[in-house]
Amino acid sequence: MGKTKHTGPIKLDKKPAPELWAGKTPMGLGKVKPKHIRDTMKVAWDNKDNAAYAYRILTQGVCDGCALGVSGLYDQTLTGPHLCTTRLNVLRLNTMKAMDPKWLEDVESLKKMNSTELRKLGRIPYPLSRKKGENKFTRISWDEALERITTKIKSIDPKQLAFYLTARGITNEVYYTGAKMARFLGTNNIDNASRICHSPSKTALKRSLGIGASSCNYKDWIGSDILVFWGSVAANNQPVSTKYMYAAKKAGTKIIMINPYREPSMEKYWIPSIAESAIFGTEIVDDVYQVNIGGDIAFMNGIMKHWIEMEEEEPGSAVDHTFVEKHTNGFSELKVHLQAQDWKALETSSGLSKQRMREFAGLLARSTSGIFIWSMGLTQHRFATDNISQVANLAMLRGFLGRENCGVMPIRGHSGVQGSGEMGADPFVLPGGDFTEENRQRLEKLWRFNIPDWQGDTIGQSLENSLLPEDHERKLKLFYTSGGNFLETMPNPDFIQQVLENVDIRVHQDIIFNTSTLAEAKEEVIILPAMTRYEQPGGGTSTSTERMVYFSPEIKGPRIEEARSEWEIYVDLAKRVKPEQKELIDFQDAAEIRSEIAEANPNYDGIQFLKNKGDVFQWGGAWLCEDGVCPTADGKGRMISIDIPENRRTEGQFYVTSRRGKQFNSMIYSKKDPFNAADRYAVIMNPRDAEKLNINEGDAVVTYNQFGTYQGTALFEDISSTNIAVYWPEGNVLLPKGVYEEHAQIPEYNTAVMVEKAETFHAQKDNRYVEKRVEELEMTPE
């Protein structure tokens, strides 16, 4: 791993740059854009009952929103204060009072509410129980709750027990304790939200470069020749990053967006903490390549094929041969593979012309530095690991690794997720490495108990296992989830409802209710009130996208009387299940956990010294693969030749992807998307596609396939033809259940659909018209 240290934030150049303005209309009046001032005032009003505490959280705590890593109001990238509406919207989760107990008396009334309405009821006040057939939650003591869970765990096979941890403000200490507890109790069925989003990034980077995280820093954006945002809408999901983009633009960096939808928030953004941008807005991207959903591999093959052809015309014009020869394997095989690629097939799959691919290939070839940044647009596919290995191929061919202003960056959407796998809360890993025999034996010596040697299930597999026969060793009988709402995050909500209700006991450890909390269980649902990260005694740490490990102190303020720190709950439960070995799991405080983390994961040596506000260190140094040397067996990166995935579109079909609006994960804060004024049931489509179907903007439309039917309203936007977008989680009814990526085992979140004008659909649905159309989809190869 690299040794170069991070040198602190860059001073922001505040000189006016009219050439970057989005327009001359002050404050973007009359334009569709976020209303930052209005939203900030609304948040202030919502938190007026705990204003002083809210202020302390913002100025003392590490942000529990995205993973940029803002500590207080400052970060390691740019000088000056940073604040965004995402963080402000999440703020109320930390300052709310306990919910009125009257709501616990009628579950049917609660079921009439959506998750936004449930969230506004307030914090979970104390442990609760709801047995099958009951229409209310009953207050129980902590002892009673944990003893019921303990009794069930003791009565089942450890393979029938599964744990899940969300990304909701969870600290490294909680992830680590959860990972250790699961193995202490004899199960490897433990999973986390990060793996569902970004596990292909880790899997691909491991096999291509030997790393499992971003190879560079946000600071590297500023001064790089080119930034490529691939399937990533950072302006929406990580708003403070727009300041980094602004600084990069002023330093001469070109910013490219690759996305089927010409994302408004990446084209123009009004950055509230920069006066010039707040008034006149900022033009962010320099060009947009509207690749088809699922067409990224073809696009990247096209870029590399152009490079090979450019090399034949002028050696050294596109490929960094010095880097390739010294630091990589597989170039010869990749070259032969690319030469065999058919241009027509590349154009059809990618949705882009040979000329457009050459334009981008030339732009990258002329750049001496560059960074590739991506999110779920690349990771949530059935071929996602191959997507990311293709990105690694691009970086290696240009030598964009292990040095300043260069790198590969899977940008994280939640503050806790980078550390989750690194702490071992994942069925495929243990703290400090993969789930290998060598690593298992190393951890057994540290932990002083045996770790089960069988492969744990992913959360999707565990939930599906609830439908196995009663005597099956892997039938899920107790599901323990720390946060999360699978009814709104997983494909096929009706199926998820079925599997949740087929578990004997479900434990929801959380700070608020959501719709999944209300699903019945075969025996009992137990609710445990958790503390937020700011309430955690002894503070806690989180790891940012760029591998910065930040300390967030405990912040004085009001408390939910019976809420407990999540790691303390895990320890208490584990000690009850195995009292004869309780000394092996008995942490006394958060500092003791950090000391053990430093031993369990050598990369985290330094976390044991974090104890005060502002304490931070970066594991791995400023750049992974520094000077081109990768942490692989031979120190070299591996280029992988990848074929185009089978094109599953046939005439009359669309491919659908999901879009986020004003929300944080599945927590929705507005029915209107601030960037395009769409409501939550908009079906975003290309006007030319709509014309062929006799659909006008605003018409009611039906989107359907063999998995489900989704009714919405046509919204015409600049999206690549034959592609549509629907909002997540509303559109999850269209997604297949049980379809997982081969290498990283994440669910497929993109699929083929039909779109019809609603009146056409309803007029035909009584004959075999719709049935035949669905049969066409079913015959399309997966």
Side-chain angles (χ1 to χ4, degrees), residues 41 56 59 138 257 263 270 311 343 354 385 392 527 592 598 616 632 739 781:
M41 292 180 68
R56 289 196 294 274
T59 56
T138 301
M257 175 171 65
E263 174 57 51
W270 283 257
E311 285 289 314
W343 276 116
K354 178 180 177 181
T385 298
I527 313 293
E592 187 178 345
V616 60
T632 55
V739 178

Side-chain angles (χ1 to χ4, degrees), residues 17 19-20 221-224 227 242-256 267 282-287:
E19 67 276 11
L20 300 181
W221 293 14
I222 303 163
S224 180
L227 298 181
T242 56
K243 292 185 73 170
Y244 312 160
M245 297 181 215
Y246 173 87
K249 293 281 288 188
K250 295 193 83 170
T253 301
K254 286 190 177 297
I255 300 179
I256 304 298
E267 292 214 271
T282 300
E283 294 270 8
I284 295 179
V285 298
D286 293 276
D287 203 352

